[in-house]
Amino acid sequence: MQELNYICCGDYYIPAIRLPEADRPIGRWGRLHRDYIKEHKPIHFNDLCLSGELWTYLADLNEQAQSRFGLIIEQMKASEGVTERMKQHDQMAWVGAMNSIRNRAEEIILWEMIYGEGAV
């Protein structure tokens, strides 16, 4: 149990409550998920805010989404044969293939982790 300290303000004592220090960035994926749960799941959002776990939850989600995003891109590159050799010989085809892979990977992350049913 945490000891509760009070601050005297005039005739009243107010609890000195502080949120934990947030030193990890929530990033793009964390911001997107925060906006989603704020609008569509307000009870869950309020629970996270009141318990002081919102920032940690979003930072964890951002890290997981970023690593999954990189993994999906690497797997798609391997399965579709997008290599550095292709980049050297036909740059426009490589750029088109990488844009396609990146867009599809982003859609997967958005559906699975940010907005989809498995998001929360």
Side-chain angles (χ1 to χ4, degrees):
M1 193 73 179
Q2 200 175 35
E3 183 180 321
L4 195 56
N5 296 319
Y6 293 88
I7 299 171
C8 182
C9 290
D11 294 337
Y12 300 101
Y13 284 95
I14 299 173
I17 299 173
R18 293 182 184 214
L19 292 174
E21 293 294 322
D23 57 345
R24 294 169 43 205
I26 61 171
R28 174 183 180 218
W29 306 112
R31 288 190 308 270
L32 287 170
H33 189 65
R34 180 194 58 202
D35 295 342
Y36 172 75
I37 62 173
K38 190 174 186 178
E39 175 139 352
H40 297 284
K41 299 180 186 275
I43 294 172
H44 182 60
F45 180 77
N46 286 337
D47 287 344
L48 289 170
C49 284
L50 293 174
S51 67
E53 298 173 358
L54 178 66
W55 198 269
T56 306
Y57 169 77
L58 294 174
D60 289 343
L61 182 120
N62 184 60
E63 291 170 3
Q64 292 170 5
Q66 193 62 39
S67 66
R68 177 117 169 91
F69 183 66
L71 178 67
I72 291 171
I73 287 177
E74 291 304 315
Q75 289 175 343
M76 285 183 173
K77 280 172 53 176
S79 69
E80 295 177 17
V82 179
T83 62
E84 289 298 315
R85 188 163 193 267
M86 180 184 181
K87 184 178 179 180
Q88 292 172 351
H89 293 290
D90 191 1
Q91 291 178 356
M92 291 306 289
W94 182 84
V95 168
M98 285 304 296
N99 283 342
S100 174
I101 288 171
R102 184 175 168 83
N103 289 336
R104 286 181 285 151
E106 187 174 312
E107 285 296 321
I108 290 170
I109 296 299
L110 289 173
W111 174 250
E112 287 181 353
M113 300 181 80
I114 308 301
Y115 303 129
E117 292 301 316
V120 179

